[in-house]
Amino acid sequence: LSVMQLVEAGQLDLDRDVNGYIDFLIPAAADGSAVTLRRLLSHRTGFEDRLDRIGAWSGERPSLGQFLALRVPHRLRAQGEAVSYSNFNASLAAYIVERASGKSFEQYLNDHVFRPLEMLRSTAVQPVPAPLSSEVSNGYLRSDWPPTRESMAAATIYEVGSTGVIASGADMARLMLALLDADPRIVSRASLATMMSAQGGVPYGFVGLGLYSPVGAGGNAFVGHDGGTGGFGSTLALSPDRRLGLFASYNTQGSPAPVPAPVELVQRFSERYLAESKPRSSTRTVAGLLGAYQPARRTESSLFKLRALLGQVTVQRAASGDLMVAGARLEEIEPGLFRGAGLEFAFGEAGTATVLQIGAPVAAYVRVPLWTSARFVVPSVALCLIVATLAVLAWPTAWLRRRPPATDRIARSLKHASRCALLMSTTAIVAALWLALAGWPLAAVSFASVAPLVAGIHVAGWLGVLLAPLAVWHALRFTRRRAGNLLAIGREIAFAFAAAALAAFCLYARIAETPLGVS
């Protein structure tokens, strides 16, 4: 809304290179095309996602421009190749609003959105001002773990524009009424129509400027936006033709489910009252749908890459011939569009990529080759970790039971290096898995112990990488000298293979990385 206001005022242009508005450089894409506001707001920039250091438990937020200048993301794909939601996109658009208006983004929203619509219990200020802080609900990460884990109630968000706005239910009703009215007051009806129009191809529905359809899942015709922060999840769904709006917000992520609670509410409402409605579709038949797909919205430049690996979905064919995803049998509704487990699964092509869309258009997955698929990598790494664990557990036992001959010091040193390589790689991988899957909220708010932990993971990962050649050397030397029976030779070869494979995984998953904390 703020960007469209400034476009209407002639201060911004949706199709101009954003470098003309900011004081740092956003590199052009590989094909030379520039990043524009249109691409930012429709999430077609190809940037990777960032999970770390997006906020803090408390305190003032840093300058938005300085924060973003130090965190320009890497590009994962060509612009427009696949829609991939990016918090950096939204935050950069907020900074452009600051530059164009001469006001902080928080102040701009207050002056040009909240105040005109009489949204008096809404703010984007970080941290939340005292008059409103007592009204902020606590958030709960899970509702099925005893005791329930409480998330941040009102942290300081650094990525302004992507999240951090708090509003009462009544204020959200005022916003929806304005967006559905013939005279929205804060922006023209024509600008809203642009926001609600397709800006790039997706397999099913459309992505506009900050808004998309369908919202969540269920084949609904709503246009809007959904998302979550910490233990909170919200969905804003609009049906302009009916002048109907629905807003749902939950202060818990609940127990794991294919469809989040706010999205499910919209889905059930649509099924009951708007059953005849369907979103606009650009679905088309795609050959060769089987395979592994990883989230288009992901991190590649840090150890949080593990989340994308373990978040992959696999499309398989059942004995009956039907497609299956995560155990759900898919029913084909129209060419390229399937339904199963309460979700829509749509396939399409974006550039050179085959894309699987699950539910909302911003929930895209991109097909990956077999050697980077979870069904190949995870069992391989798990087997190597088991071998490494056995080697490490037997290491002190063997050392106490039978000391190697003092005359072969090289053999003894290489054996210790081999076991140490396995110990370091295993420690680094297990710690990285914990941080990426369970401990990432601590990294998101720059928790004090995270930087030393990540530095330790990187150091351990590098030690595993650097010592792995010694493990291979030890196995070759042990075999060539016939220093043991066939069982012992096989054992050392297995240990060397595990050390090399785990070292390669540390490099691939960015576990062996520059030890400077979360990147």
Side-chain angles (χ1 to χ4, degrees):
L1 288 172
S2 56
V3 167
M4 297 308 293
Q5 287 176 339
L6 293 170
V7 169
E8 290 181 357
Q11 295 178 260
L12 294 177
D13 184 333
L14 289 174
D15 298 307
R16 180 184 175 187
D17 187 337
V18 296
N19 286 307
Y21 297 121
I22 59 179
D23 52 358
F24 57 92
L25 179 67
I26 301 293
D31 62 0
S33 60
V35 174
T36 64
L37 278 166
R38 191 182 300 276
R39 289 188 178 275
L40 284 178
L41 297 178
S42 56
H43 298 283
R44 295 181 295 123
T45 56
F47 289 139
E48 73 168 341
D49 198 25
R50 303 294 290 269
L51 290 173
D52 58 287
R53 295 183 294 175
I54 61 175
W57 292 108
S58 61
E60 301 295 324
R61 77 164 174 87
S63 162
L64 183 55
Q66 294 176 357
F67 175 76
L68 295 176
L70 295 173
R71 292 173 59 84
V72 177
H74 298 278
R75 271 205 176 83
L76 301 182
R77 64 191 71 84
Q79 293 192 96
E81 189 173 61
V83 170
S84 175
Y85 193 90
S86 168
N87 284 342
F88 181 86
N89 285 5
S91 199
L92 181 58
Y95 182 54
I96 292 172
V97 169
E98 288 192 348
R99 297 273 294 177
S101 66
K103 300 179 178 181
S104 69
F105 184 68
E106 297 93 331
Q107 188 62 48
Y108 184 91
L109 283 184
N110 184 68
D111 294 346
H112 297 273
V113 178
F114 299 150
R115 192 178 298 166
L117 297 182
E118 298 182 358
M119 297 173 64
L120 304 180
R121 313 306 294 173
S122 302
T123 186
V125 174
Q126 307 290 323
V128 179
L132 296 178
S133 60
S134 61
E135 299 182 14
V136 178
S137 170
N138 288 325
Y140 300 90
L141 295 181
R142 291 280 290 269
S143 62
D144 60 339
W145 286 348
T148 302
R149 294 172 55 187
E150 184 177 343
S151 73
M152 300 174 296
T156 300
I157 304 299
Y158 295 165
E159 281 187 335
V160 175
S162 65
T163 187
V165 174
I166 69 162
S168 67
D171 279 1
M172 291 304 299
R174 293 183 179 94
L175 175 62
M176 286 191 293
L177 287 171
L179 297 180
L180 295 168
D181 196 76
D183 178 15
R185 291 181 286 163
I186 55 174
V187 73
S188 71
R189 194 76 245 167
S191 289
L192 282 177
T194 300
M195 294 174 65
M196 297 181 185
S197 300
Q199 301 295 322
V202 293
Y204 182 49
F206 71 92
V207 173
L209 300 180
L211 300 172
Y212 49 83
S213 177
V215 180
N220 61 76
F222 284 114
V223 57
H225 197 289
D226 51 18
T229 299
F232 299 90
S234 301
T235 294
L236 172 68
L238 303 170
S239 180
D241 294 342
R242 295 178 175 80
R243 297 194 70 244
L244 171 67
L246 180 63
F247 175 72
S249 187
Y250 287 66
N251 67 337
T252 177
Q253 294 178 1
S255 55
V259 183
V263 173
E264 184 180 12
L265 178 61
V266 174
Q267 176 179 321
R268 299 298 180 218
F269 183 94
S270 178
E271 289 174 352
R272 179 160 184 171
Y273 298 106
L274 308 174
E276 77 286 358
S277 299
K278 290 185 179 181
R280 287 168 280 172
S281 175
S282 57
T283 304
R284 56 187 180 276
T285 303
V286 180
L289 304 180
L290 304 182
Y293 294 75
Q294 70 178 353
R297 180 185 183 182
R298 66 185 189 275
T299 298
E300 286 281 339
S301 62
S302 75
L303 57 80
F304 288 105
K305 182 177 181 178
L306 288 168
R307 289 177 63 87
L309 174 67
L310 299 179
Q312 289 181 8
V313 297
T314 301
V315 179
Q316 300 173 304
R317 194 174 295 281
S320 62
D322 296 331
L323 293 184
M324 295 190 67
V325 178
R329 192 177 302 273
L330 305 187
E331 174 189 1
E332 188 166 17
I333 302 171
E334 57 183 85
L337 178 64
F338 301 80
R339 179 170 294 158
L343 295 166
E344 282 71 43
F345 297 79
F347 296 87
E349 293 177 345
T352 59
T354 299
V355 176
L356 166 61
Q357 175 185 323
I358 303 179
V362 292
Y365 290 72
V366 181
R367 191 163 60 183
V368 298
L370 176 64
W371 71 273
T372 61
S373 68
R375 56 181 174 168
F376 172 77
V377 174
V378 171
S380 301
V381 172
L383 178 60
C384 290
L385 287 175
I386 292 172
V387 171
T389 301
L390 293 175
V392 170
L393 291 177
W395 184 13
T397 304
W399 185 81
L400 291 173
R401 186 177 65 249
R402 186 180 63 184
R403 189 180 297 275
T407 55
D408 196 354
R409 294 180 179 177
I410 293 178
R412 184 171 56 186
S413 298
L414 288 176
K415 178 180 179 179
H416 290 329
S418 170
R419 280 22 173 204
C420 189
L422 293 168
L423 174 61
M424 291 295 100
S425 291
T426 300
T427 301
I429 291 171
V430 171
L433 284 169
W434 176 84
L435 184 62
L437 298 181
W440 67 266
L442 299 178
V445 295
S446 302
F447 196 72
S449 63
V450 170
L453 171 62
V454 174
I457 290 172
H458 290 332
V459 169
W462 272 118
L463 286 173
V465 169
L466 296 175
L467 291 172
L470 298 181
V472 175
W473 183 14
H474 172 61
L476 292 174
R477 193 172 185 271
F478 190 91
T479 302
R480 188 167 54 248
R481 288 171 171 253
R482 299 185 179 276
N485 57 28
L486 290 178
L487 182 61
I489 291 174
R491 178 195 66 205
E492 295 304 324
I493 292 175
F495 290 168
F497 179 83
L502 293 179
F505 182 72
C506 284
L507 291 171
Y508 168 75
R510 311 305 290 263
I511 294 171
E513 189 57 79
T514 305
L516 296 177
V518 182
S519 63

